[in-house]
Amino acid sequence: RLGAARRAAEHVLSLTFFVAAEEPTAFQKVRRAALDGTRELFGTASPPVSIVGQRPEGGRHAALEAAVLLDTGHPARVERRSHEGLEYSVVVAEGGRQVHAAGLASEDETTDAAGRSREAIQAAQAILDAEGLDFGHVVRQWNYLEEMLDIRSTGCGDRQGYQAFNDVRSIAYGRSAFPTGYPAATGIGQRAGGVVIELVAVAPAPGVAVEPISNPKQIDAHRYSEDVLVGTPSEDLHSTTSPKFERAKRVASSGGEVVFVSGTASILGEQTVSPGDVRAQTRTTIENINEVLGGRALTHLRAYVKRSDDIEAVREVCRGAFGDIPSLYVEADVCRNDLLVELEGESVVRRSEG
């Protein structure tokens, strides 16, 4: 699959490897092999790469997804850029820019969840700064978190990995305005790798519209009450902070539109529905996704399943709802102990298709 991507190297925006390695030494070995292989194939035109510690379906050791520039019939070019050793791609089209970054990872394995989160978010901030943008321009963000559900005792109380990330993110986001809402986002567990961030940012341009999409059946995640937040806040805050993301984000231009569907789970209001029943949770999750799609068709699906034995059940329900669309199923912790599955995806429409 990587060789196929090489044949259209100039159109590849980013690569995400999902690997089964769970022990730190094994993970780093796989990470180096993936990065070396990518550079060997792409040379100086190498796109940004993420290595995510999530076990792919079917007992595979690795799976790969590539973000690729679609032909919309409008002139566009992809530029490879780098800042402070961080590689990223920029799509220049219709007078505007899209920034695609991946592999924004914490490097210090000895620090805690908050420290790892700060490292990764600072890397994301560095690329945005280099492009004259800020987090308010990010339309899609992926946050892969090692020890996501772990709760560690600190001098200030018990702190959950996911909540530590949310607090660090909230502090970083506090420096930006969000006139079109927060990014669509996924916060999901991984078995190794610290904290890894990927993002897509869109610079303002004439004819480019960006808007958030809410789900009337769910409270916006950034408005969650403290009743569903876990652990004590960061020492920099007076209270725990909510996850700063929208349920979905629509980006439209003369070439078409994409709706980025955030990581979505079996939550109504702000409470988990059908704990312990993976099929029922998957059906509720799909209903939530259909709410934000508003009649659009999902064109790509990624499923995060907490228990590998549940993957086939989740696949069966998803195929019944979405058909045989490109999909990837991986084993990963979801943001609550009682959630068994999380789904995300995109709906992409090119104007030439109507």
Side-chain angles (χ1 to χ4, degrees):
R1 294 181 66 182
L2 187 56
R6 175 64 183 89
R7 289 195 291 272
E10 67 274 17
H11 299 303
V12 177
L13 306 176
S14 64
L15 298 172
T16 306
F17 290 87
F18 301 87
V19 302
E22 299 177 2
E23 188 272 328
T25 301
F27 177 84
Q28 290 302 328
K29 182 178 179 180
V30 171
R31 181 175 182 268
R32 285 193 298 271
L35 292 174
D36 289 345
T38 301
R39 292 184 181 117
E40 180 179 347
L41 284 167
F42 288 88
T44 57
S46 177
V49 179
S50 288
I51 316 297
V52 178
Q54 295 175 342
R55 183 182 296 275
E57 61 186 299
R60 288 182 287 169
H61 294 292
L64 171 64
E65 284 192 351
V68 180
L69 178 65
L70 294 176
D71 181 8
T72 62
H74 295 262
R77 69 179 187 275
V78 178
E79 298 179 357
R80 304 292 187 211
R81 300 182 185 177
S82 119
H83 178 72
E84 297 179 352
L86 300 171
E87 298 172 335
Y88 60 101
S89 301
V90 177
V91 178
V92 181
E94 301 180 63
R97 284 175 297 138
Q98 297 176 13
V99 176
H100 295 255
L104 307 174
S106 57
E107 299 294 339
D108 186 351
E109 297 180 2
T110 65
T111 190
D112 60 9
R116 292 177 176 181
S117 299
R118 276 191 289 270
E119 276 193 78
I121 286 176
Q122 285 167 359
Q125 182 71 69
I127 286 179
L128 293 169
D129 287 345
E131 290 297 317
L133 304 175
D134 60 34
F135 281 110
H137 298 106
V138 177
V139 296
R140 187 59 166 102
Q141 187 169 325
W142 290 264
N143 311 297
Y144 304 102
L145 314 174
E146 185 180 358
E147 300 177 343
M148 182 182 195
L149 296 177
D150 289 8
I151 296 178
R152 301 294 176 89
S153 295
T154 71
C156 300
D158 294 335
R159 187 165 301 160
Q160 184 204 52
Y162 183 48
Q163 188 57 55
F165 175 82
N166 286 330
D167 290 345
V168 171
R169 171 169 55 179
S170 293
I171 293 170
Y173 278 18
R175 305 184 186 102
S176 302
F178 291 87
T180 62
Y182 293 111
T186 299
I188 201 73
Q190 62 173 348
R191 296 298 178 89
V195 174
V196 179
I197 292 176
E198 298 179 356
L199 62 81
V200 180
V202 174
V208 177
V210 179
E211 61 179 4
I213 302 176
S214 293
N215 178 356
K217 294 182 177 180
Q218 294 183 297
I219 294 173
D220 289 332
H222 52 85
R223 301 184 188 278
Y224 278 170
S225 73
E226 289 199 35
D227 292 342
V228 295
L229 306 180
V230 177
T232 56
S234 162
E235 59 272 12
D236 302 319
L237 298 167
H238 296 297
S239 62
T240 49
T241 64
S242 57
K244 299 297 189 291
F245 69 93
E246 306 290 349
R247 296 299 178 188
K249 205 72 176 280
R250 173 179 176 267
V251 182
S253 68
S254 60
E257 75 166 21
V258 57
V259 173
F260 294 104
V261 179
S262 295
T264 306
S266 180
I267 295 172
L268 295 178
E270 62 177 13
Q271 300 298 328
T272 299
V273 175
S274 303
D277 188 333
V278 71
R279 287 180 179 271
Q281 285 199 7
T282 304
R283 288 192 291 269
T284 300
T285 301
I286 289 169
E287 290 169 4
N288 282 331
I289 288 175
N290 285 333
E291 282 288 334
V292 299
L293 286 176
R296 301 174 182 88
L298 199 71
T299 54
H300 170 260
L301 170 71
R302 192 187 296 170
Y304 305 96
V305 185
K306 184 169 288 185
R307 304 180 303 213
S308 60
D309 289 346
D310 288 336
I311 287 179
E312 285 308 314
V314 173
R315 188 200 313 277
E316 181 181 330
V317 177
C318 288
R319 278 183 172 169
F322 300 124
D324 193 21
I325 62 173
S327 305
L328 176 68
Y329 294 78
V330 295
E331 182 183 344
D333 277 335
V334 186
C335 62
R336 297 183 184 180
N337 287 314
D338 55 6
L339 287 173
L340 302 175
V341 60
E342 183 166 322
L343 306 177
E344 66 170 54
E346 294 88 36
S347 173
V348 179
V349 175
R350 288 176 277 181
R351 294 298 181 211
S352 59
E353 298 175 347

